[in-house]
Amino acid sequence: MLLYAYRRYVFTLAVLLTYFLYAMLLTGRGMTQPHFMVDQTASNVKQASGLSLRKVSDFLAGRKYVVLTFDDGPYGYGVDEQIMATLQKHHARAMFFLVCSHINDANRDVLGKLEGAGHLIGNHSYDHLKLATLTSRPELQHEIDGCSQRLAQLTGRRPYYFRPPFGMTSPLVTQLAQAAGMKQLLWNANSQDSWMTQPEQILHWSLEQTEDQSVLLLHEKPATAAVLDDLLTRLEQRGFQFVLPDQLSDNTAIN
Ligand SMILES: [Zn+2]
């Protein structure tokens, strides 16, 4: 009788173990493919099914997710390419929020390189002004929709994401961004690289602030490019995977 109970116990354990291994395998295999599909005609993004299974498998495997976002580019002088090379080394895709007035004849080829490498280009306004303080609707429309039009001219597609400069938004800015077919993407982790100049400080703040499901604010600038390899290595050691915004299952930074 005791032997029977023991066998039943082992059998139940084996079934449970098989289920979890299968769940991990299934979801782990999915990690090479993005967990979302971009519906380009409807300009929206559909979440793939199976998220709860993914959560179980993430928990067991210690996996965490972070979206890397780089603002204020293109920077030029090889900095964009340096960032892209480091991302490629870590098999990471990222979001680049470009400022339209920063695009010129010398750096416009950066857009094609970003898209070619699988990164997403977002709209960070035309002139990087404090949009919440602008009262002229045509001026705001130029800053928001005008930049989307410019990006569409250069890449063949309008951006899905908008990030207001300095993270300063307003109901009107939100409304105009949505009317231009974009979601607003702010951040919930800050590398502080907009004002810190020492790579060690940027590394410290990035690691300090990044948690599971974080959207990390970085900038296209030399100090950030210099520390990026170290940063991504340290995040990988902590179990982080680098994903695009719609691959987050729980996202408070998007509206
Ligand atoms: Zn900015």
Side-chain angles (χ1 to χ4, degrees):
M1 212 45 207
L2 195 66
L3 188 67
Y4 173 71
Y6 177 71
R7 276 185 181 160
R8 198 174 58 177
Y9 172 71
V10 169
F11 177 73
T12 309
L13 207 66
V15 167
L16 276 174
L17 198 68
T18 308
Y19 170 76
F20 280 122
L21 285 176
Y22 178 67
M24 282 180 70
L25 195 75
L26 203 71
T27 314
R29 190 185 57 190
M31 289 316 297
T32 54
Q33 296 290 323
H35 279 281
F36 72 103
M37 297 176 302
V38 177
D39 178 352
Q40 298 190 349
T41 51
S43 77
N44 61 17
V45 180
K46 292 172 183 164
Q47 189 81 56
S49 59
L51 268 180
S52 55
L53 194 63
R54 186 178 121 188
K55 277 184 180 166
V56 173
S57 123
D58 287 347
F59 177 75
L60 292 173
R63 271 195 295 264
K64 291 174 267 187
Y65 299 88
V66 58
V67 178
L68 306 169
T69 64
F70 295 89
D71 285 12
D72 295 4
Y75 188 92
Y77 310 102
V79 171
D80 313 88
E81 285 81 359
Q82 191 188 347
I83 290 171
M84 275 187 260
T86 305
L87 290 172
Q88 188 180 12
K89 181 183 167 190
H90 292 267
H91 310 287
R93 295 167 76 197
M95 278 236 52
F96 287 78
F97 282 101
L98 304 184
V99 175
C100 274
S101 63
H102 291 181
I103 302 169
N104 56 43
D105 288 345
N107 64 28
R108 60 191 293 169
D109 61 322
V110 165
L111 280 74
K113 289 178 188 172
L114 287 171
E115 290 216 314
H119 304 301
L120 278 189
I121 292 175
N123 176 338
H124 195 38
S125 85
Y126 216 103
D127 299 301
H128 208 273
L129 304 173
K130 290 179 177 168
L131 300 185
T133 65
L134 298 185
T135 49
S136 153
R137 201 181 171 99
E139 196 180 353
L140 271 174
Q141 236 146 10
H142 167 71
E143 289 300 321
I144 299 169
D145 192 50
C147 186
S148 284
Q149 285 179 27
R150 175 99 175 102
L151 294 174
Q153 277 169 7
L154 293 165
T155 66
R157 74 184 90 189
R158 292 172 66 92
Y160 297 124
Y161 289 102
F162 176 70
R163 174 173 283 167
F166 315 100
M168 286 177 62
T169 190
S170 72
L172 182 56
V173 168
T174 304
Q175 185 199 324
L176 291 176
Q178 285 172 353
M182 293 180 288
K183 292 180 184 175
Q184 262 185 132
L185 180 64
L186 300 177
W187 61 85
N188 48 26
N190 192 341
S191 67
Q192 307 290 353
D193 68 341
S194 61
W195 61 287
M196 285 183 171
T197 52
Q198 297 302 310
E200 312 83 63
Q201 296 172 318
I202 297 169
L203 185 64
H204 169 82
W205 278 103
S206 301
L207 292 170
E208 180 82 15
Q209 296 236 322
T210 303
E211 297 172 356
D212 188 19
Q213 308 289 330
S214 282
V215 176
L216 176 63
L217 171 68
L218 298 149
H219 289 80
E220 285 206 66
K221 51 192 288 191
T224 305
V227 81
L228 192 61
D229 190 22
D230 263 0
L231 172 59
L232 300 190
T233 301
R234 299 276 290 274
L235 288 173
E236 280 167 338
Q237 286 166 353
R238 283 168 53 190
F240 279 99
Q241 305 217 344
F242 311 116
V243 297
L244 294 175
D246 290 283
Q247 293 167 275
L248 292 185
S249 55
D250 174 23
N251 202 325
T252 53
I254 302 178
N255 67 39

